[in-house]
Amino acid sequence: MFEPLCAALDAAGIACTRNELLADHCTFRIGGPADIFIKPCDEIQLCRAVAFCKEQGVRYYLLGNGSNILFEDAGFRGAVLDLTAMKTGIGMKENIPGEESGVVYCNVTVGAGMKLSTLCNFALNHSCTGLEFAYGIPGTVGGAIYMNAGAYGGEMKDILESVTVLTPKGEQKKLYKEELQLGYRTSVVKEKGYIVLEAVLNLTKGDPEAIKSRMDELKEQRVTKQPLEYPSAGSTFKRPEGYFAGKLIQDAGLRGYQVGGAQVSEKHCGFVINKENATATDVVNLIHDVQRIVYEKFQVQLDTEVKFLGEF
């Protein structure tokens, strides 16, 4: 079934492997093999690989750092495209609108496959402020835009100027901030099935010591409050309006609740962790239990932030 796709990829010089274990490519450390695992080296190869998948009728999924996803135990029937395999550079241009303002703006252009941690360190090294909130978010630029990632009072929508995407029709399109429909964990990229290729960010020049101090402060908060010592997909549930998911789960008496190898973190109840070789089934059953019990006690529906990929 996949031979024609593999042959097309090989002829185009696009690297791919068969039966790649997806547990090795996500932060939950859960998931079976992908039928085809494609590793494009740049945007051109990415666009061609997507076109080949469509031509051959093979379903595909674009994978960044794998920080917000749960793959099923049986794996993925189709092709997974690894965006982190892309060689991604960063460009920066300074713009001084007026000496009287005293503000220096920095337009930073970056590819979708770059990890946020790398981008944050680039900003620090160039004394650019605005990205501190993203330090420690275990994702890529493309994934962060897809879901308008945010933390500690900041979101991607605060710093985005424009995004270049690949549409489902195979066309490249530039979208400006006002066209991206960035909301709480959503965007037009997510809603219309676009693929992020590149982004332009608006940052400002700042004091490098103050930037580093803020990054260190947020890192300390994450280490202290989040169960980073265990594999997880980050915050499992969206914040219900007027509530905090972790507090609801704690008040429902579910701190440390466990199904198989999956557990509600004792450190932060908003996280489901892979404590002891959990399966995807363990995680899904635990999530369903949490949703049911919280609703029974408080009549609040908890929706997941984690994306489930497979037959659940």
Side-chain angles (χ1 to χ4, degrees):
M1 175 181 176
F2 299 108
E3 284 71 19
L5 174 58
C6 290
L9 292 167
D10 185 59
I14 303 173
C16 70
T17 58
R18 296 293 300 268
N19 300 314
E20 182 88 11
L21 192 63
L22 293 170
D24 294 335
H25 297 278
C26 66
T27 59
F28 236 144
R29 297 291 178 257
I30 295 172
D35 289 320
I36 304 179
F37 193 78
I38 305 173
K39 295 177 278 190
C41 71
D42 55 28
E43 290 181 12
I44 295 173
Q45 286 200 351
L46 172 61
C47 293
R48 294 193 72 184
V50 169
F52 290 151
C53 289
K54 290 181 176 180
E55 288 169 6
Q56 299 299 329
V58 174
R59 73 165 180 159
Y60 61 91
Y61 179 76
L62 272 73
L63 179 67
N65 200 44
S67 59
N68 199 43
I69 192 166
L70 179 66
F71 288 108
E72 71 170 320
D73 300 313
F76 184 78
R77 303 285 70 81
V80 172
L81 287 81
D82 179 18
L83 297 185
T84 65
M86 295 167 62
K87 298 178 177 66
T88 305
I90 307 179
M92 189 179 80
K93 182 174 67 175
E94 294 184 7
N95 175 35
I96 307 174
E99 293 183 8
E100 68 282 355
S101 70
V103 178
V104 178
Y105 293 96
C106 306
N107 291 113
V108 177
T109 303
V110 60
M114 177 163 287
K115 293 183 179 180
L116 286 176
S117 57
T118 302
L119 179 59
C120 288
N121 282 317
F122 172 89
L124 171 62
N125 292 335
H126 290 80
S127 303
C128 295
T129 185
L131 260 172
E132 291 88 336
F133 75 89
Y135 188 60
I137 295 178
T140 58
V141 171
I145 294 168
Y146 176 88
M147 64 177 295
N148 186 29
Y152 300 108
E155 294 178 296
M156 291 302 293
K157 71 177 183 181
D158 300 331
I159 57 172
L160 272 175
E161 177 179 298
S162 64
V163 175
T164 301
V165 300
L166 183 69
T167 72
K169 293 182 178 180
E171 302 167 339
Q172 289 196 30
K173 185 176 183 180
K174 188 171 186 178
L175 300 172
Y176 288 91
K177 179 178 178 178
E178 56 273 15
E179 300 174 276
L180 290 169
Q181 299 176 24
L182 297 161
Y184 178 61
R185 302 299 179 262
T186 190
S187 69
V188 73
V189 175
K190 179 179 179 181
E191 296 303 319
K192 293 196 174 183
Y194 293 153
I195 296 171
V196 177
L197 299 176
E198 184 179 83
V200 179
L201 311 178
N202 265 331
L203 306 176
T204 58
K205 280 289 187 178
D207 175 14
E209 290 188 7
I211 296 168
K212 187 175 188 308
S213 176
R214 180 60 175 161
M215 289 169 65
D216 289 343
E217 177 189 348
L218 296 183
K219 180 180 178 181
E220 179 62 24
Q221 288 190 45
R222 285 188 169 92
V223 169
T224 302
K225 297 180 179 180
Q226 298 179 8
L228 303 181
E229 63 272 27
Y230 290 103
S232 78
S235 182
T236 306
F237 301 97
K238 294 180 181 178
R239 184 179 66 246
E241 188 173 352
Y243 298 90
F244 291 100
K247 180 72 163 52
L248 287 169
I249 296 166
Q250 177 179 317
D251 291 348
L254 294 171
R255 180 186 295 274
Y257 180 78
Q258 191 159 339
V259 174
Q263 184 189 65
V264 173
S265 168
E266 296 177 292
K267 195 173 188 180
H268 189 312
C269 292
F271 286 67
V272 172
I273 60 172
N274 177 359
K275 188 174 183 182
E276 301 173 290
N277 299 313
T279 64
T281 301
D282 292 339
V283 174
V284 169
N285 288 339
L286 185 149
I287 287 173
H288 288 166
D289 285 353
V290 169
Q291 290 173 317
R292 174 179 53 80
I293 293 169
V294 167
Y295 188 80
E296 288 173 354
K297 288 183 176 291
F298 307 112
Q299 288 72 57
V300 177
Q301 179 63 47
L302 292 180
D303 296 322
T304 57
E305 281 197 26
V306 178
K307 181 172 184 178
F308 301 93
L309 202 65
E311 303 299 325
F312 290 101

